[in-house]
Structure formats: structure tokens, C-alpha cells
Amino acid sequence: MTGLSFNSHNIETLRGVGPQLANKLKKLNLHNLQDLLFHLPLRYIDRTQITPIAGVQAQTDVVIEGKIMVSDVVFGRRRSLVCRLQDHTGTTTLRFFHFNKAQQERLKPGTRLRCFGEARRGKAGVEFYHPEYQYINDTDNEPLETTLTPIYPATEGITQTRLRDLCGQALKKLDQLPINELLPQSSHIGLKQQLSFSLKAALILLHNPPPGAALHLLACGEHPAQQRLAAEELIAHNLSLLRLRQKIQQQPSPALFQDNTAKLTFLNQLPFALTSAQLRVTEEISADISSSTPMLRLVQGDVGSGKTVVAALAAVQAIANGKQAALMAPTEILAEQHRVNFEQWFKPLGIRIAWLSGKIKGKARQIQLQSIADGSAKMVIGTHALFQEAVEFNDLGLSIIDEQHRFGVHQRLALRQKGFASQSKPSERSIVPHQLIMTATPIPRTLAMSAYADLDCSVIDELPPGRKSIGTLVFNNIRRNDIIHRVRAACSAGRQAYWVCTLIEESDVLEAQAAEVTASELQLLLPELSIGLIHGRLKPREKVELMNSFKDGAINLLVATTVIEVGVDVPNASLMIIENAERLGLSQLHQLRGRVGRGSQESHCVLLYSSPISANGNARLKIMRETNDGFKIAEQDLALRGPGEILGTRQTGDMHLRIADLQRDGHMLPEIKNIAENVLINAPQNVDALIRRWLGHSDQYAQA
Ligand code: ADP
Ligand code: MG
């Protein structure tokens, strides 16, 4: 490998780089000189000027100069050497926790020092812990730095000095490297300002910012040079998704035409009329699938907005064309619920439903599989099992995925791939089903436009009429007894309640134990109630049975872990208590809360917290109390937790951005999309290079 790629761009051609260092650099995804130049500083520090001590702000990196006035070893909580340093404007404290005798002797009163480090807020003004320092005199001092000092993302065994040196060497060879402008002029229109900076100038500036460079802009990523690169990075990510979409859409899907008779039969037997938002989204899907270009569409809608029935209508259209439709749900409970709904809705249309889940085994499973393979079952509903094993479809025209959590790009693609692999018979491999993805809760706009750029998006932005809004109350756990009274009152009035136990550890066992303890406590305090307990450790069948008794009213109070988070629909439940609510993310809280407020009664959700509560936790509870709007909550969630958390920790790699920041640069996304499309049309030869430049060897989108 090294032998083959050993050319003038190889990282080992740099002074001081041998195989060992090259290996470490690989860990940072740095394989050649171009990679190095696109390894951009995280931040900058300013060692070009001396800051008067009186003007030093806490939490900034500064250079100061002064004379040691006092030097003493103090025995506080930790033994430390403390020096008071004074200049003509004021004094500050330097603290050294590690020091030797010689150091102590040299740092004596009267000595003059130049120090560099981060100022911290101390008891008496700012102080410095272990600053770097040099001895100075009145005549020949080392000059200060002439440029700002970049701080790079680093890894063990590679120092900042080393990275600075390597980037410096690479910059000198800039003109020999294939670092060309890859965005055609014609594409710049929307982001003229950002793209006016040339690529090379931007790289030079960012690795080597001149003393006059606007540090405050560089610090927050708003410098035009950073914006130039951020725009290109977002374009590259977008392109990689668009290319993927293109690749999928090269294979045809069956054209599934609208069948008005089937549609009307379906609509007429529904106990309600569709909202105008549901009708609009239904039209969007219908138009998509009547073409032979594969549909790749995401349906977003708030909790309870009625996504299922929209999916059912799409399935009706596919089935009316003689094709099969499959619906995959994230949990057993939800899959079961979908099955019950679909059976009711599809019976009048004479559509047979096949049903695959963990609890269907042996002979029963064979029968289901057979009906899927021979096409006698046109509608197939199930859990992940549906895509994970070799289920052979007779003629699948539409696959629908009801998402539990938002899958990251990578996961979603893997799922898609698996789906395709098992869905088509070898002879039909070239025909792919249309795809519909439904999210459990809304996705913040910026994430939808970046991580989901391969999908078209429909939004159901209206709730069915007659929904009562849910009153949300926030209570300290100390007032648990008041809440128990509330539960008693609600249940004796004939309504039902959920009590949700949460743990921060992602352990089914611990969570189940906590829920068991809570359930027995509650049973002691509320002996007159029938209390059920549901958690992830139960067998799928047990879970479904419990849910059914709750639905039938045989259980008054259901103590549950977050297994009930998604999709569960029991309209008579009008009260929900959530323990340790301060620890949960906003979207999860919103999703949980959406289990009540599904019927005609006034509903309430009580968020219990234990003090002390973090500022962030407090902010989340406040938002929950203030709004029921899932789209607003999604935006706030992004602001509080960042995209990595929202996509799920396992998916953070997906949106591993080097310089762009979805929050800061999100405003560019509509234009980014246009530009990426423009590049695809006007400079298709540059697409690979752009993706390679920014996504490097980890272009997982293309590989998935
Ligand atoms: P979600 O979007 O959260 O998946 P569901 O599809 O589960 O929501 O729908 C929530 C509830 O609202 C279900 O009981 C469903 O039957 C009902 N529903 C859906 N659409 C309407 C409508 N247009 N009018 C009244 N009820 C509706
Ligand atoms: Mg749903």
C-alpha cells in the first residue's frame, strides 16, 4: 500500500514523518498532503501581543509580562507554588502544582517573566494554572509570534507543534497539490459572498492567520475563509447523499397508479375524515409512486398527527396495482398495534395481511412466510425481523418504515440495502420497491436538510380535530404524594394513567428493577387500583397482552419503562407521570407525553424531577411546559444537545463535519441544496473529488 501510493503527495515525503508517525496520522484520517490541508484548526490563540494584566479576561488565552513580587509555597488542599506577577497595570496569580526545588528558586521575587496560558476566574481576580513561561530581561527578548497560533484536532502522540509543522510544510507545496476549485462559477449565485473567497486563499489564511485577522470571527467560525470552506463541506455532504439517491433511482420501481375505487372504499369505512394535511401528503405520495422512478420520501408529523393512515393509503394504492406492501415497525407493541388497525381497515377491502414478529414461530411462521412468497398476502406487517431474515416477497412494490428513533444516514442505508437484498427475487433484482419512511417525531429543519438530504420530505402539520391540548406540570419529587392523589382521582373517575420510570443507564435489567420497585410501592399506596407493569424484559407476547388489558380498561394504572415511548394508542389514558424527567431529552419526553391526549378528555402530563437540577435540565422542562408543538421542540432539542445527540450517539460519525456547524451554518442549507444539484448537472466530473476531499476515506454514504 505505502509502496504504491508513494508519490509527491504522500505524507511520508514530509520532513520528520516515518512509518510510525504516518500510522498515527492515519488515525486522524490524514493520508496525504491534501488531507493535511483540510485538517482545519479547531480554534486559534493569540500570542502576537502582550495583554496588560488589568485587561485580562477569564477564559481567554493571553500573553502577559511582569515581575514576580511574591513567591511562596502554600499548603492548601494541594501543595502549590504561588507567584504574584505584576506589570504597570495590575497583578495576577500564577499557580504551579508540580514544581521542583530549582524551579522554585528561579521563580523568586524580582524575576521577570513572560507567561502564556489560559486565564481562569479565581477567588481574587483571574489566575493562571501552570502557564508556559520564559525569563525576560530589558534588552534582547525572543520576539512574539507574528501570526495567530492554530490549535488542531489532535490525537495521542501527535503534538500541536508537530501538526503545525506538518501543515506548514504541506502549505509550502500547495501549488503542486491537486487542490483546485471544484465548484463551477455558475453554481455560486446563492452563496456569492461565501464563495467569493478562493479555496487556496482560505486554506492559507486558516492555517496561518496573519496578525490582523479577525480573531473574534475566527473564534466563532464566521470568518469568510471559514464560511467558504464550510459551504463547500456542506455541498460535499449533500452531493454524497444526492449521488446515493441517484444510484438507487437508476433502478426502476413499478408505476403504481391511483385507483379511485379502492381509495374511496378505504376512506368511506374510516370512522373519521382525513385532515387537509393528511390529504395533501397522501397526494404527494400518490404522485410519487405512480411514476417508475423509485420514491424516497420521508413523512414527518407530530405525535398523533395520523401518519399511519397515510401509510395505509399508500399501501392501498400499491395493492390496487396488484403489488405487495410491507410495513416495518420498530417494536413488537407497535407492530401489533399496526396489525390491529390494518386488519380493521383492510377487511372491507378484502386484503389479506401477513404478520411477522418475534412471537410468531414454527408452523405459524411458515404459513405467514408462504403467504408472503406466493403473494396471497398483499399487506405484510412486522418488526425488524421483516428485513433481517430472508423473507421472500412475491412482488413488493412499496416498503414503509416506521422509525422509532431517527436513524442516522448510515443505519438507514444499511436497512435499505438489506431490504432490497431480501425483497427481490434474483430474477427481479433490477426492480426496487418505492420507499416511505415515517418519523416518530419531527426532525429539526437543518437536520432534515442535511442528514436526510437523500429523501423528499412531506410534513403533516395539523392534528386531527377535537384533540385537547395536554397540560404539562413540573413537580419536585418531594411532592410525590400529591401526584399519587391525582392518580387516584383520575382512576376513580374512570380514566387511566401511565407511570413512566426512567433510568439514565441504558440497562434493561436495572430499568426493569426500578419499575418493579415503583410498581409495588404504588400498589401499597393505591390498593384499590389494578396496576400493571410493563418493561423491556418481558416476552413480546406478555407485553402485547398487558397492553391489551390496559386498552380494555382491566388495568387502571400502567407502570412502564420507556418501552411505551413510541406509538402506543390508548385514548382513555389521560394522565402520565414521568419520573426523572430532567434526565431525558426533549424529543423523548415529547414522544412519551404523546401517549396521552389521544381521547376527548382533558389530559395531563406530570414531569417529576429531583433536585439539584442542571441548568440544561431545567431549560428542557421549561420548554416542555411551554409548548406542545413537536416542531418547536425538535428545534430546541437541536439547540440544547447538538446534532450528534439527536441523531443518536452511534450515528454521530455520519455527520462528522470538519468545519461546518449545522446550527451556525444552517441558514446556508437551502442554497447548498441548489448548488449541489447544479454541480451534479454542470460539473459531474468534480463530484467524486469533492466527496473525497471532504468525506475522505469515510464516504460511508456511498459504500452503504
Ligand atoms: P402518529 O402520527 O403519531 O403515528 P397515529 O397514526 O397513530 O399517529 O394516529 C393517532 C390516532 O389518531 C389514531 O387513533 C388514529 O386512528 C387517529 N386519527 C388519525 N387521523 C385522524 C383524523 N383525520 N381524524 C381523527 N382521528 C384520526
Ligand atoms: Mg405512529
Side-chain angles (χ1 to χ4, degrees):
M1 166 74 199
T2 27
L4 278 179
S5 64
F6 195 86
N7 56 38
S8 64
H9 311 143
N10 190 296
I11 212 152
E12 291 193 34
T13 59
L14 293 180
R15 204 171 355 94
V17 185
Q20 220 178 352
L21 183 58
N23 269 333
K24 286 184 187 156
L25 291 167
K26 266 188 203 135
K27 288 208 188 110
L28 289 171
N29 247 327
L30 304 176
H31 302 262
N32 56 40
L33 301 197
Q34 166 162 294
D35 293 341
L36 259 179
L37 290 178
F38 283 86
H39 190 63
L40 297 163
L42 291 170
R43 60 191 183 94
Y44 298 90
I45 51 186
D46 186 352
R47 295 182 173 203
T48 63
Q49 51 182 334
I50 292 162
T51 306
I53 287 176
V56 173
Q57 309 266 350
Q59 261 102 48
T60 55
D61 292 289
V62 288
V63 184
I64 52 171
E65 276 187 10
K67 188 156 82 179
I68 297 181
M69 306 305 289
V70 185
S71 169
D72 205 1
V73 177
V74 296
F75 299 88
R77 256 186 313 165
R78 276 176 82 182
R79 180 168 169 271
S80 55
L81 174 64
V82 176
C83 304
R84 291 291 289 171
L85 192 77
Q86 186 176 58
D87 71 0
H88 63 282
T89 67
T91 55
T92 186
T93 303
L94 317 178
R95 282 183 201 279
F96 301 88
F97 297 107
H98 311 281
F99 59 94
N100 54 35
K101 197 86 192 144
Q103 235 172 341
Q104 187 186 340
E105 269 158 21
R106 286 203 71 184
L107 290 172
K108 61 177 189 288
T111 308
R112 296 198 51 195
L113 289 184
R114 176 185 292 168
C115 297
F116 177 78
E118 190 191 347
R120 304 170 171 233
R121 206 177 304 285
K123 283 203 189 86
V126 297
E127 9 186 277
F128 294 80
Y129 287 7
H130 277 281
E132 292 173 36
Y133 62 87
Q134 299 162 3
Y135 300 99
I136 50 169
N137 52 36
D138 291 330
T139 45
D140 60 337
N141 292 321
E142 248 182 65
L144 288 160
E145 302 274 352
T146 54
T147 67
L148 296 174
T149 312
I151 304 289
Y152 292 97
T155 187
E156 225 181 279
I158 305 181
T159 61
Q160 288 296 332
T161 324
R162 172 72 75 167
L163 277 169
R164 262 172 239 150
D165 171 56
L166 296 181
C167 290
Q169 290 189 54
L171 269 187
K172 291 212 182 84
K173 300 191 181 176
L174 185 60
D175 284 328
Q176 303 153 35
L177 297 174
I179 295 185
N180 317 317
E181 299 282 346
L182 294 171
L183 301 173
Q185 279 297 326
S186 66
S187 73
H188 289 196
I189 300 155
L191 293 177
K192 257 207 172 84
Q193 204 192 336
Q194 284 86 348
L195 296 174
S196 61
F197 223 95
S198 93
L199 180 64
K200 285 187 179 173
L203 289 171
I204 292 170
L205 188 139
L206 292 180
H207 285 290
N208 235 337
L215 192 62
H216 64 286
L217 291 181
L218 286 171
C220 58
E222 301 272 12
H223 193 282
Q226 289 164 314
Q227 291 283 295
R228 161 68 179 81
L229 294 180
E232 186 174 307
E233 178 172 39
L234 290 173
I235 291 165
H237 274 264
N238 218 277
L239 276 171
S240 118
L241 285 169
L242 287 180
R243 197 178 56 178
L244 179 91
R245 179 185 166 90
Q246 236 182 8
K247 217 152 109 187
I248 294 170
Q249 292 192 327
Q250 273 165 6
Q251 294 164 295
S253 281
L256 308 167
F257 301 106
Q258 181 61 278
D259 182 319
N260 276 319
T261 320
K263 181 177 172 184
L264 287 176
T265 315
F266 177 82
L267 288 178
N268 287 336
Q269 51 83 38
L270 278 182
F272 47 76
L274 295 192
T275 63
S276 52
Q278 284 171 316
L279 284 170
R280 189 189 64 239
V281 172
T282 298
E283 284 310 314
E284 287 166 358
I285 297 169
S286 171
D288 275 2
I289 62 178
S290 55
S291 139
S292 61
T293 305
M295 169 174 75
L296 295 167
R297 187 171 283 279
L298 176 74
V299 174
Q300 292 196 63
D302 207 343
V303 179
S305 60
K307 293 181 284 283
T308 322
V309 72
V310 168
L313 263 167
V316 167
Q317 185 165 334
I319 295 165
N321 283 263
K323 302 287 174 186
Q324 289 174 300
L327 167 60
M328 189 189 76
T331 66
E332 199 86 16
I333 296 179
L334 198 53
E336 169 83 21
Q337 194 171 290
H338 283 326
R339 180 180 70 98
V340 171
N341 279 329
F342 275 73
E343 266 171 0
Q344 205 180 338
W345 292 336
F346 281 7
K347 197 163 200 170
L349 286 88
I351 298 170
R352 176 166 167 195
I353 295 174
W355 162 236
L356 273 188
S357 81
K359 68 173 183 171
I360 309 281
K361 298 213 169 84
K363 186 94 189 292
R365 189 175 197 88
Q366 283 314 312
I367 295 173
Q368 298 296 324
L369 286 172
Q370 181 59 35
S371 70
I372 299 171
D374 67 21
S376 54
K378 291 290 183 218
M379 184 74 215
V380 181
I381 296 177
T383 53
H384 273 75
L386 210 59
F387 285 163
Q388 274 160 5
E389 45 184 281
V391 178
E392 195 173 300
F393 286 84
N394 181 270
D395 196 359
L396 186 62
L398 170 68
S399 81
I400 305 166
I401 300 173
D402 196 2
E403 283 193 349
Q404 177 171 29
H405 297 293
R406 303 168 196 119
F407 290 133
V409 183
H410 197 201
Q411 240 186 335
R412 195 171 71 238
L413 298 182
L415 202 62
R416 183 183 283 166
Q417 213 71 350
K418 257 182 201 144
F420 290 154
S422 61
Q423 280 161 18
S424 21
K425 290 185 200 161
S427 59
E428 298 168 332
R429 202 162 286 270
S430 55
I431 295 186
V432 298
H434 294 283
Q435 271 207 52
L436 190 63
I437 295 174
M438 303 191 287
T439 61
T441 49
I443 301 170
R445 212 175 71 96
T446 43
L447 274 189
M449 293 188 76
S450 46
Y452 289 76
D454 55 329
L455 302 175
D456 295 313
C457 184
S458 294
V459 180
I460 307 184
D461 49 5
E462 184 183 355
L463 291 179
R467 289 277 164 80
K468 292 257 162 58
S469 77
I470 307 166
T472 298
L473 309 158
V474 177
F475 272 82
N476 192 315
N477 196 33
I478 295 171
R479 296 182 57 193
R480 217 175 159 87
N481 280 338
D482 297 356
I483 309 302
I484 290 171
H485 284 309
R486 234 176 212 275
V487 172
R488 179 179 292 128
C491 292
S492 60
R495 278 164 307 186
Q496 290 165 284
Y498 295 99
W499 190 291
V500 186
C501 305
T502 64
L503 275 189
I504 199 74
E505 297 89 12
E506 301 231 333
S507 152
D508 272 4
V509 182
L510 290 178
E511 200 170 55
Q513 278 170 0
E516 262 164 37
V517 171
T518 307
S520 28
E521 269 172 24
L522 290 171
Q523 188 70 77
L524 278 177
L525 295 165
L526 297 164
E528 72 276 26
L529 298 189
S530 154
I531 299 183
L533 168 64
I534 186 166
H535 55 70
R537 303 280 293 171
L538 297 180
K539 296 216 172 67
R541 182 161 25 98
E542 295 170 321
K543 281 191 232 170
V544 170
E545 276 164 10
L546 262 162
M547 279 322 296
N548 286 340
S549 352
F550 188 55
K551 209 163 192 161
D552 298 342
I555 292 174
N556 308 118
L557 172 64
L558 187 65
V559 176
T561 60
T562 48
V563 295
I564 55 143
E565 183 180 334
V566 172
V568 169
D569 191 27
V570 180
N572 190 46
S574 63
L575 176 61
M576 170 173 281
I577 323 293
I578 304 176
E579 294 206 59
N580 301 320
E582 78 278 14
R583 294 174 178 176
L584 298 188
L586 279 174
S587 295
Q588 200 178 9
L589 284 171
H590 182 61
Q591 184 60 236
L592 280 167
R593 178 172 63 181
R595 303 308 107 217
V596 293
R598 305 196 143 230
S600 48
Q601 305 109 341
E602 198 72 42
S603 290
H604 289 97
C605 177
V606 178
L607 305 176
L608 282 180
Y609 68 90
S610 320
S611 16
I613 180 170
S614 71
N616 207 296
N618 211 1
R620 285 198 295 269
L621 297 185
K622 182 157 178 276
I623 292 161
M624 288 303 292
R625 203 168 43 199
E626 282 168 1
T627 181
N628 267 311
D629 180 335
F631 285 92
K632 273 195 200 136
I633 287 175
E635 296 296 343
Q636 298 284 349
D637 209 14
L638 179 65
L640 288 175
R641 294 198 300 158
E645 285 295 312
I646 298 219
L647 287 170
T649 36
R650 280 175 46 216
Q651 287 81 48
T652 42
D654 278 349
M655 289 306 290
H656 191 82
L657 297 169
R658 293 170 188 226
I659 188 163
D661 174 303
L662 288 180
Q663 243 141 306
R664 184 191 63 217
D665 306 324
H667 63 94
M668 291 195 240
L669 286 167
E671 281 308 328
I672 295 289
K673 186 164 179 266
N674 293 339
I675 295 175
E677 276 159 10
N678 182 310
V679 175
L680 218 47
I681 295 164
N682 295 318
Q685 71 284 2
N686 290 351
V687 171
D688 278 339
L690 269 167
I691 294 175
R692 164 73 185 80
R693 176 182 285 173
W694 288 100
L695 283 80
H697 293 270
S698 58
D699 179 15
Q700 68 274 74
Y701 307 161
Q703 286 155 20

